[in-house]
Amino acid sequence: MIVNVNGREYRVRLRAAAWPHLRLLSSAFTDEVVDEEKLKTAEEKVLKYCVEGDVHPDDVDELLLKILAHFARVVSEEFGTFRPTFSAAGR
């Protein structure tokens, strides 16, 4: 998908390698305590795995929010909830 931020276009793909990092970032909206270093690492990994090319520093936060919103839509459509539970067989 193409995401526009501040007049710049970014090509974004929700790659499987980024899913654990996207889940961690999404948990920061509801969990009281999330380790800041883990959040920072997750942000870097999501941008690395999901965005083609470099991201302008002014666009990072808005781009991450747009990626998280897209991730939430996809997960909700596929699992019927934003926080899916996986069976032991699926792991």
Side-chain angles (χ1 to χ4, degrees):
M1 87 180 170
I2 301 296
V3 176
N4 289 298
V5 179
N6 297 321
R8 289 177 277 274
E9 286 189 348
Y10 297 97
R11 185 167 179 79
V12 174
R13 291 180 45 218
L14 293 180
R15 296 183 53 217
W19 294 354
H21 307 291
L22 287 161
R23 288 182 61 204
L24 177 67
L25 291 175
S26 68
S27 73
F29 286 104
T30 56
D31 296 350
E32 287 186 30
V33 179
V34 180
D35 183 278
E36 287 186 37
E37 282 302 312
K38 287 183 181 179
L39 286 175
K40 184 176 186 238
T41 299
E43 289 176 348
E44 292 168 357
K45 295 285 186 179
V46 165
L47 294 174
K48 175 183 175 183
Y49 294 142
C50 295
V51 182
E52 289 182 11
D54 295 327
V55 176
H56 191 281
D58 293 343
D59 299 345
V60 170
D61 293 332
E62 187 174 344
L63 184 57
L64 282 168
L65 282 172
K66 289 183 177 195
I67 293 169
L68 280 169
H70 184 61
F71 177 69
R73 280 191 301 276
V74 169
V75 170
S76 294
E77 288 172 10
E78 292 299 319
F79 296 102
T81 178
F82 182 62
R83 291 190 178 236
T85 54
F86 300 98
S87 69
R91 290 184 193 193

